[in-house]
C-alpha cells in the first residue's frame, strides 16, 4: 500500500520526504490556509520534494470552467501533480476532461460507494473516501472502503482507492486489510506506524548484551 502525508506543512514534509517510505502528499484548502502561504508557491515546493511521488492540489472553483483553469495551472507545476476536484457533477466533468488532457485527478469528498463508482466512470486516478468523517456521523468508514473495493474489482475499474481522513494507526491497518491502494496520513500518525514497545525493549536488550560482552563490528 502506498502512504501519502496529509499535510501542507512544507517543513514537516521535507523532513520525511527522503526516508523512502513516503509515496506522495495530499493537501486541501483547509490545510493550505493554516500555512498562510501562497498555495501555488507552496505546491511547487512540496512537489519538488517528491519528484517521483504524487502531490494532490485541490481546486477552489466549484464550476467546470473554473476547475479546468485552476487544474491546468496546477498541472504546470509538474508531472507529479494530481488535481483534486470535489465529487460533484462539475467536478466529475472536469475530472474526465483533465484526464483526457493527461493530468492525474484525485476526486475528493467521497462518502458513498456509488459516488466512488461515478468517479471511476469519470476516469479518476484516485478516489478519496473520508473514513474518519464517515465514522464521525455514526456510519462505517471502513465498510465504505470495502464496498468501493468490491465494486471496483467487480468491474475492473483501475481508479486507486485513497483512504483519507485517517485518524488512527488502526485505520491504516484496516485500510490495508480492506484493499485500499493508498492511505493518506497526518505526520503524527505516520510516525506512530513504527512504534511498538517490544521493539524498543528488544533493541535496548540487544545493545546492553553487546556492550557487556564487548562485541564490536570490526572494520567500521
Ligand atoms: C485528504 O485528502 C483529505 O483532505 C483529508 O484526509 C481530510 O481529513 P480530515 O477529515 O481529518 O480533515
Amino acid at each position: 500500500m502506498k502512504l501519502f502525508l496529509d499535510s501542507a506543512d512544507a517543513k514537516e514534509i521535507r523532513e520525511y520526504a527522503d526516508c523512502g517510505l513516503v509515496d506522495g502528499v495530499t493537501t486541501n484548502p483547509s490545510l493550505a490556509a493554516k500555512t498562510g502561504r501562497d498555495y501555488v508557491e507552496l505546491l511547487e515546493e512540496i512537489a519538488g520534494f517528491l519528484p517521483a511521488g504524487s502531490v494532490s492540489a485541490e481546486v477552489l472553483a466549484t464550476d467546470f470552467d473554473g476547475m479546468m483553469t485552476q487544474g491546468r495551472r496546477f498541472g504546470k507545476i509538474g508531472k507529479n501533480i494530481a488535481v483534486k476536484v470535489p465529487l460533484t457533477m462539475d467536478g466529475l466533468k472536469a475530472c474526465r476532461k483533465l484526464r483526457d488532457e493527461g493530468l492525474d485527478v484525485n476526486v475528493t469528498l467521497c462518502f458513498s460507494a456509488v459516488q466512488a463508482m461515478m468517479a471511476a466512470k469519470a476516469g479518476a486516478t484516485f478516489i478519496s473516501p473520508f473514513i474518519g468523517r464517515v465514522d464521525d456521523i455514526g456510519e462505517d468508514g471502513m465498510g465504505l472502503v470495502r464496498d468501493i473495493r468490491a465494486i471496483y474489482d467487480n468491474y475492473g475499474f483501475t481508479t486507486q482507492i485513497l483512504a483519507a481522513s485517517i485518524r488512527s494507526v488502526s485505520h491504516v491497518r484496516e485500510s490495508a486489510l480492506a484493499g485500499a491502494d493508498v492511505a493518506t496520513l497526518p505526520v503524527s500518525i505516520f510516525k506512530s506506524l513504527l512504534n511498538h514497545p517490544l521493539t524498543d525493549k528488544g533493541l535496548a536488550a540487544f545493545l546492553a548484551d553487546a556492550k557487556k560482552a564487548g562485541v564490536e563490528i570490526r572494520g567500521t
Side-chain angles (χ1 to χ4, degrees):
M1 183 168 65
K2 290 182 211 165
L3 294 178
F4 289 3
L5 296 180
D6 195 21
S7 171
D9 182 332
K11 194 164 163 269
E12 70 176 10
I13 295 167
R14 176 197 287 274
E15 210 180 317
Y16 290 94
D18 61 1
C19 70
L21 300 167
V22 176
D23 304 294
V25 171
T26 50
T27 65
N28 65 37
S30 304
L31 292 171
K34 280 191 214 160
T35 69
R37 291 184 53 184
D38 174 79
Y39 196 21
V40 169
E41 192 187 282
L42 180 63
L43 288 163
E44 283 169 345
E45 184 176 351
I46 294 170
F49 297 150
L50 290 159
S54 173
V55 175
S56 286
E58 186 157 346
V59 297
L60 298 175
T62 54
D63 64 299
F64 172 78
D65 290 331
M67 287 190 221
M68 290 305 300
T69 304
Q70 294 177 359
R72 286 172 180 143
R73 173 66 191 91
F74 288 150
K76 285 192 185 133
I77 294 172
K79 287 213 168 311
N80 55 345
I81 289 289
V83 180
K84 215 171 167 193
V85 299
L87 212 158
T88 60
M89 185 58 82
D90 278 25
L92 294 191
K93 274 173 62 185
C95 172
R96 167 59 66 201
K97 183 91 177 101
L98 290 165
R99 293 291 288 138
D100 288 346
E101 293 182 9
L103 277 82
D104 281 340
V105 177
N106 175 356
V107 176
T108 190
L109 291 165
C110 172
F111 294 92
S112 83
V114 287
Q115 284 183 319
M117 184 178 72
M118 299 303 273
K121 284 176 71 67
T125 314
F126 302 104
I127 181 68
S128 292
F130 276 34
I131 295 168
R133 294 194 198 186
V134 172
D135 288 349
D136 288 346
I137 57 162
E139 293 181 9
D140 179 10
M142 212 48 68
L144 173 58
V145 175
R146 282 192 291 272
D147 286 354
I148 299 171
R149 179 77 279 152
I151 291 170
Y152 283 9
D153 289 350
N154 280 349
Y155 296 100
F157 287 124
T158 55
T159 298
Q160 297 177 53
I161 303 172
L162 195 168
S165 188
I166 294 248
R167 304 270 166 80
S168 65
V169 171
S170 294
H171 269 162
V172 180
R173 173 180 162 274
E174 289 171 39
S175 296
L177 287 170
D181 300 285
V182 190
T184 188
L185 331 173
V187 165
S188 56
I189 296 177
F190 180 82
K191 284 193 281 190
S192 302
L193 296 183
L194 298 181
N195 293 350
H196 197 289
L198 290 182
T199 303
D200 299 337
K201 196 176 160 193
L203 180 59
F206 286 155
L207 295 179
D209 288 346
K211 193 171 177 193
K212 207 177 345 167
V215 178
E216 281 175 3
I217 300 176
R218 275 190 292 114
T220 62

